[in-house]
Amino acid sequence: NCPGIEATTAQVLGDAQEAWLLTNLDRSKARWKALAQQVMMMDLNRNTSGGQGVNTDSWAGYRVPRNRLLSHIRDRRIDNVVVLTGDEHQNYAGGLWLDGSQPEGAPIAVEFVGTSISSRGDGSDRGADYDRFMAVNPQLKFRNSQRGYVVCEATPTVWTTQFKVLDKVSDRSGVLTTRQTFAIEAGSNTLTPA
């Protein structure tokens, strides 16, 4: 943690881009609002040995603009917002709250983070810190570091995301499987294993 995380002048998008996003979220008549972007929005605690530590190279490192976006979605009652993210080299699925360490009520939105296709080698299903990491991050419903991709399907009533993973990418004999599937019913913002 550092004082810059709370800086009121910090920006992720820039003024014009943020205004564009908020305006178009307000105007959207789409059932599902997919925000495809590069850095994780969940404010995960990366310190599993006590204390608090966030990835400052993510929305968690910019608390004011992050909370401004999430508050806008919450206060305007913009339903069915799904954030799709890459650039973490791991799979994650979880809910978005202003403070993920104290998730109260329904999530404001949900986020799916897709792993890399081959970077960092084969990966593993659950790392040594899996249980500690999940325990300090109640907003998180899934974490996996195998290589692969996500497949999303949106219908008028449900959004489904499948996490496709390979047991190994180090040679051509790797086997592709569906590691986890989540569904979100329209209007609920709640992840349900499917």
Side-chain angles (χ1 to χ4, degrees), residues 26 33 71-81:
D26 289 341
K33 291 85 175 168
S71 294
H72 184 92
I73 293 168
R74 179 198 64 200
D75 296 346
R76 302 287 177 104
R77 293 186 171 98
I78 301 170
D79 286 334
N80 307 321
V81 176

Side-chain angles (χ1 to χ4, degrees), residues 1-14 18 37 39-43 54-70 98:
N1 281 331
C2 67
I5 291 172
E6 301 288 347
T8 58
T9 57
Q11 295 183 341
V12 174
L13 301 176
E18 184 175 315
Q37 46 103 50
V39 294
M40 183 182 279
M41 197 171 288
M42 272 185 277
D43 56 342
V54 299
N55 177 0
T56 56
D57 190 23
S58 73
W59 282 84
Y62 298 82
R63 190 151 310 167
V64 173
R66 177 185 182 277
N67 286 355
R68 194 167 47 238
L69 173 59
L70 291 175
L98 294 180

Side-chain angles (χ1 to χ4, degrees), residues 111-153:
E111 182 173 20
F112 297 108
V113 180
T115 187
S116 59
I117 292 175
S118 61
S119 298
R120 292 195 182 166
D122 291 334
S124 64
D125 184 38
R126 293 183 177 197
D129 70 340
Y130 179 84
D131 291 329
R132 290 189 318 273
F133 197 91
M134 296 299 284
V136 299
N137 290 292
Q139 74 275 44
L140 192 58
K141 304 303 175 200
F142 176 67
R143 179 183 184 217
N144 168 280
S145 64
Q146 290 172 288
R147 305 298 135 230
Y149 55 93
V150 296
V151 175
C152 301
E153 180 181 3

